[in-house]
């Protein structure tokens, strides 16, 4: 079976964090993208992992092409 991976930009807070948690609850592996607040992103990752899900946090500014490329490479 193919692994399902969800990338959530702005996944460290608000709606993005809720989408990250909901996706994980549905069985997706979640790549939580954040720009500045690593602690918030790691908190979302920890809550997903504590619930038995899989997630990682990746810092990237989606307005910077090199960051976007690194984001996709890291999530892959």
């Amino acid at each position: 079976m193919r692994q399902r991976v969800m990338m959530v930009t702005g996944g460290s807070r608000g709606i993005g964090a809720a989408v990250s948690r909901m996706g994980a609850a549905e069985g997706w592996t979640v790549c939580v993208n954040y720009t500045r607040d690593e602690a918030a992103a790691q908190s979302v990752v920890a809550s997903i992992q504590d619930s038995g899900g899989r997630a990682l946090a990746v810092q990237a500014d989606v307005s910077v092409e090199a960051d976007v490329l690194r984001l996709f490479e890291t999530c892959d």
Side-chain angles (χ1 to χ4, degrees):
M1 185 165 123
R2 190 173 171 162
Q3 182 177 352
R4 300 181 311 166
V5 177
M6 170 188 284
M7 180 185 301
V8 182
T9 58
S12 65
R13 59 193 180 111
I15 294 170
V19 169
S20 295
R21 290 183 181 105
M22 187 171 59
E26 293 294 321
W28 291 81
T29 296
V30 182
C31 181
V32 177
N33 165 248
Y34 68 97
T35 303
R36 289 182 292 269
D37 194 348
E38 181 179 9
Q42 292 298 347
S43 177
V44 172
V45 168
S47 71
I48 290 170
Q49 292 172 340
D50 289 347
S51 297
R54 296 180 53 168
L56 76 151
V58 180
Q59 188 284 328
D61 181 337
V62 296
S63 71
V64 177
E65 183 179 5
D67 281 11
V68 173
L69 294 173
R70 182 177 45 77
L71 173 62
F72 275 88
E73 288 171 4
T74 303
C75 287
D76 279 344

